Amino acid sequence: MNNIVRDYLAYAFESTSRLAKQLNRESLTPVVAMWQEDNYLVIATCDGYRQHEFRLLMFRDDGSPPALLHGRVLAFSPVAIAAAARALDEQLGENDLLHVDYDDDQTTVSLTAPGITISLKATESQHKDHIRRFATTFNEVERPDVIKVNAKELLAALPKPRRNNERIYMFVHFNECTWQVGVQSKLNSWQPTEHNGVFDAQDVQGTPSCKLNVQMLREALEVAERYHPFAECTIALTKRNEAVLVQASVGKVLDFRAYIMPVVNLQP
């Protein structure tokens, strides 16, 4: 039987189901995708502007490699995933283990522990293939410019966008060892705020330079902080305005990756 830590799985479900519901494209139905990579169960979703991926370590009592999905990519309704997260939170403790199994005939993932059984029925979706393809593409991109940050400290320093226009137009500009928050609703309208800071030079690799939406960055950092209060994260950038990677790991048990599209052609 394949085992997984309940707390990590429940929060991955909660986070991805919430993000999936923000998808606003008529041609795609919001889904949470699931597949296996080596010993990891990957749970991911994308809303068109960012993609969040949770890689959760699975293990077996006999020490053999876990075998669950055998190359399949499954899609689940965000509503069903959110309900499963609530049930896990209500009935199990943080460090309890879940047994995970997959019935190919029924296309159903089963989560079991003493006193609880949850069955998740997969649904048909083209969007799951987009998510899986994005994951592969994003992972193959080289990101030579890297900033090492403490999730809790950077969250405390960044402002919390309150109004809708702030959620849309408030950005943080990373420029080598410095960062500056500003508001920019159109070209050449950059208005710096009082929120800024400097990174230790030893925590910066290359010459990072990009702008990210503050709300989207905060959401990624909040995930990292939720798993570990002082989680060490990396913000990795390309030279070509491709998706920025925000990554945090908890040993070998969890690898969280958020890919966020930077703001292009908005220079101060």
Side-chain angles (χ1 to χ4, degrees), residues 110-169:
S110 298
L111 309 172
T112 59
I116 182 173
T117 298
I118 297 173
S119 295
L120 292 170
K121 175 72 173 178
T123 183
E124 290 296 323
S125 166
Q126 292 182 340
H127 189 30
K128 74 178 191 303
D129 299 316
H130 293 283
I131 295 170
R132 181 67 180 94
R133 186 168 61 252
F134 289 154
T136 301
T137 303
F138 290 151
N139 190 52
E140 292 174 348
V141 172
E142 290 188 13
R143 295 178 172 81
D145 301 325
V146 179
I147 306 170
K148 187 186 298 181
V149 303
N150 178 286
K152 186 180 183 68
E153 292 176 356
L154 186 53
L155 273 172
L158 288 171
K160 293 182 179 180
R162 302 293 186 184
R163 298 184 294 271
N164 284 338
N165 65 321
E166 290 180 343
R167 293 188 179 96
I168 298 172
Y169 298 121

Side-chain angles (χ1 to χ4, degrees), residues 16-207:
T16 52
S17 63
R18 184 170 59 248
L19 179 58
K21 292 174 184 176
Q22 297 182 35
L23 180 71
N24 186 22
R25 293 191 178 183
E26 293 181 0
S27 60
L28 297 174
T29 301
V31 296
V32 174
M34 188 181 298
W35 66 88
Q36 182 177 348
E37 288 185 14
D38 299 324
N39 294 341
Y40 290 84
L41 179 64
V42 184
I43 300 164
T45 197
C46 174
D47 74 343
Y49 299 97
R50 64 219 137 142
Q51 178 153 315
H52 285 191
E53 301 170 13
F54 296 80
R55 286 167 166 75
L56 309 176
L57 181 68
M58 295 186 294
F59 55 93
R60 297 175 67 93
D61 295 334
D62 61 6
S64 61
L68 184 66
L69 299 181
H70 306 286
R72 295 172 180 79
V73 181
L74 305 179
F76 300 92
S77 160
V79 175
I81 291 293
R86 289 192 298 271
L88 293 174
D89 280 336
E90 292 170 358
Q91 300 188 44
L92 295 175
E94 286 187 3
N95 298 317
D96 287 344
L97 294 181
L98 282 167
H99 299 306
V100 188
D101 201 6
Y102 174 64
D103 185 330
D104 193 30
D105 292 335
Q106 300 296 322
T107 60
T108 299
V109 170
S110 298
L111 309 172
T112 59
I116 182 173
T117 298
I118 297 173
S119 295
L120 292 170
K121 175 72 173 178
T123 183
E124 290 296 323
S125 166
Q126 292 182 340
H127 189 30
K128 74 178 191 303
D129 299 316
H130 293 283
I131 295 170
R132 181 67 180 94
R133 186 168 61 252
F134 289 154
T136 301
T137 303
F138 290 151
N139 190 52
E140 292 174 348
V141 172
E142 290 188 13
R143 295 178 172 81
D145 301 325
V146 179
I147 306 170
K148 187 186 298 181
V149 303
N150 178 286
K152 186 180 183 68
E153 292 176 356
L154 186 53
L155 273 172
L158 288 171
K160 293 182 179 180
R162 302 293 186 184
R163 298 184 294 271
N164 284 338
N165 65 321
E166 290 180 343
R167 293 188 179 96
I168 298 172
Y169 298 121
M170 183 177 285
F171 307 109
V172 55
H173 183 198
F174 295 105
N175 185 26
E176 298 188 5
C177 291
T178 68
W179 61 271
Q180 172 70 59
V181 173
V183 176
Q184 186 165 356
S185 59
K186 56 186 178 180
L187 191 65
N188 299 322
S189 67
W190 178 254
Q191 298 176 346
T193 71
E194 70 276 16
H195 300 280
N196 58 74
V198 179
F199 299 112
D200 192 312
Q202 67 181 6
D203 292 332
V204 179
Q205 174 183 311
T207 55

